[in-house]
Amino acid sequence: MVIDMVSVNGSGCPWGTADVTVSPDSKAFTVTYSAFTAQVGVGAKPIDFRKNCQLGLNVHVPQGFTYAIASTDYRGFARLERGATATQTSFYYFQGDRQTGKSKHNFAGPLDGDWQRTDSLGIGSLAYLPCGEERYLNINTELRVNGGWSNTKKTTSMLTMDSTDGNLDTVYHVAWKKC
């Protein structure tokens, strides 16, 4: 499997801050972010409460095969004050399709540490790319932070997709099938 990043748009992934790597066995690919943080409170701008990243990927599929996203692993860091909440939501779909996969994870303060979530789809729920067609895979991920009743004049709450070295690996596991 070869993946070309066709487009990267959004406040959470300015150009040059997202990258795609395919696993050696072509059963997964990783999107690495370096600037994907939503926050409220001290030092945050009013628009920082929501960040998103829309990726357009051209997945080159071997002839006679098709694929679907079977599961997704998300990792990041959260620092939420008591009373603050956050959500991480992802949508993925093939260009021109009405069927959209969606996952949503909620977080509530107080929280200070790394987080990881995995979404798994049942084999009957997988949305495969129609055989013989070439369409971009679109992935739109959003982070939102709500200050709630926390004291946003004295504290900062944040949700980020990153790891200890400042990058996040979101791994999309691919299910293959013969046409």
Side-chain angles (χ1 to χ4, degrees):
M1 172 170 58
V2 175
I3 298 177
D4 296 322
M5 186 155 349
V6 176
S7 63
V8 178
N9 297 300
S11 56
C13 57
W15 183 253
T17 65
D19 193 31
V20 177
T21 306
V22 178
S23 67
D25 64 1
S26 296
K27 291 185 179 178
F29 61 94
T30 301
V31 180
T32 304
Y33 305 97
S34 61
F36 204 168
T37 301
Q39 61 183 343
V40 296
V42 177
K45 298 175 188 162
I47 61 171
D48 288 344
F49 79 98
R50 178 191 176 273
K51 298 290 181 171
N52 84 301
C53 185
Q54 168 111 11
L55 303 174
L57 305 173
N58 188 9
V59 181
H60 302 278
V61 180
Q63 188 165 346
F65 286 87
T66 189
Y67 73 99
I69 302 300
S71 68
T72 309
D73 300 325
Y74 298 98
R75 289 194 324 245
F77 179 81
R79 184 174 65 227
L80 299 174
E81 296 295 325
R82 185 176 306 281
T85 59
T87 58
Q88 177 266 318
T89 308
S90 293
F91 300 91
Y92 51 93
Y93 57 94
F94 294 108
Q95 177 185 19
D97 263 359
R98 285 182 275 211
Q99 185 173 359
T100 301
K102 177 184 177 183
S103 67
K104 183 175 183 178
H105 300 286
N106 298 311
F107 304 86
L111 183 61
D112 188 10
D114 294 328
W115 60 269
Q116 181 172 341
R117 303 291 187 275
T118 298
D119 297 327
S120 296
L121 301 173
I123 195 72
S125 302
L126 297 181
Y128 283 92
L129 175 68
C131 286
E133 293 192 19
E134 290 188 28
R135 296 189 202 172
Y136 294 151
L137 173 62
N138 294 298
I139 301 168
N140 190 357
T141 302
E142 175 187 85
L143 302 178
R144 281 185 186 254
V145 178
N146 182 324
W149 51 268
S150 69
N151 187 345
T152 57
K153 294 184 189 224
K154 293 184 178 181
T155 64
T156 302
S157 290
M158 65 190 299
L159 183 67
T160 182
M161 290 183 72
D162 66 6
S163 63
T164 54
D165 63 358
N167 295 321
L168 163 78
D169 295 337
T170 300
V171 180
Y172 297 86
H173 300 275
V174 178
W176 291 98
K177 83 174 184 181
K178 286 192 174 196
C179 292

